[in-house]
Amino acid sequence: MRLKLLSPGEMSAEQKETYDESIAGKRGAPPAPMMAWLNSPEMARHATRLGGVLRFDTMFPAKLSEIAILVTARHWTSHYEWFAHKRLALKGGMDPGIIEDIRHRRTPRFDDPKGQMIYDVARSLHEGHGLTQGLYDEAVKVLSERGLVEVVGLCGYYTMVSMTLNTFEFGLPEGEVSDLA
């Protein structure tokens, strides 16, 4: 770990206010990257709020939104992010075979056209830096404009999360080993 993470007693008033807001939300605990972001309390406040919206208040159930998050974590080889969201994907009902395909960078096949489209969009955003016109048109048809905006938001936000976790070398919990190579 490259940063000393502050305990609540070591935080400035502004940092503590952001921390307290995060633990009062739906997560019940501060998201790991927020502990690094607290070095910029205002950024931490807004990023954590955005993360809460993307995690809990998109039009997608966890089984679908976790597709975009896992594709992002895999793209960045973000060990901590993969560890955290693999568990959430399983809890949300994602097929373990899909998770393994994403982990091994194989294209999974989904029964749900929305799941397939979220995967295709997320992969294209990371590997192609955007969407072709054909993929864009199909994504709007399958996901709606709102859905496409939210998938782009999930990939963008979790890119920032992955970069934060990787840059500051957040480790996995004691005794855990990364699935990613």
Side-chain angles (χ1 to χ4, degrees):
M1 183 68 178
R2 290 180 166 164
L3 283 177
K4 177 189 183 305
L5 301 184
L6 302 174
S7 69
E10 298 172 303
M11 295 175 187
S12 70
E14 191 178 15
Q15 289 168 326
K16 181 75 167 80
E17 183 180 322
T18 299
Y19 176 86
D20 288 345
E21 181 181 312
S22 77
I23 63 175
K26 290 180 182 176
R27 285 184 183 103
M34 189 203 74
M35 298 307 292
W37 299 336
L38 280 174
N39 285 284
S40 176
E42 192 65 16
M43 180 193 140
R45 177 176 292 114
H46 290 290
T48 303
R49 287 176 181 168
L50 176 60
V53 168
L54 290 169
R55 173 96 184 283
F56 300 108
D57 298 321
T58 67
M59 63 185 285
F60 303 114
K63 179 179 178 179
L64 294 178
S65 62
E66 292 295 337
I67 296 166
I69 298 167
L70 288 177
V71 169
T72 302
R74 183 66 205 127
H75 176 78
W76 288 98
T77 310
S78 181
H79 301 282
Y80 189 96
E81 195 62 22
W82 181 268
F83 167 78
H85 283 275
K86 175 184 173 183
R87 293 180 312 145
L88 293 170
L90 289 168
K91 184 179 175 188
M94 189 183 295
D95 177 343
I98 290 172
I99 295 169
E100 281 302 296
D101 284 341
I102 294 170
R103 180 170 83 94
H104 290 288
R105 300 182 192 272
R106 296 185 302 247
T107 301
R109 291 292 159 226
F110 296 83
D111 293 335
D112 180 354
K114 286 184 180 180
Q116 187 69 56
M117 186 55 64
I118 290 169
Y119 174 83
D120 292 345
V121 166
R123 187 167 171 201
S124 183
L125 288 171
H126 290 301
E127 294 178 10
H129 309 287
L131 304 182
T132 64
Q133 188 65 49
L135 181 55
Y136 174 87
D137 292 342
E138 191 63 22
V140 169
K141 195 164 37 174
V142 172
L143 302 174
S144 79
E145 287 179 336
R146 174 185 169 180
L148 180 55
V149 165
E150 290 178 350
V151 172
V152 171
L154 283 161
C155 290
Y157 174 77
Y158 283 97
T159 289
M160 182 173 73
V161 167
S162 294
M163 292 170 123
T164 300
L165 297 169
N166 287 353
T167 297
F168 298 107
E169 297 181 348
F170 277 70
L172 296 180
E174 183 90 22
E176 296 293 339
V177 177
S178 179
D179 288 344
L180 304 180

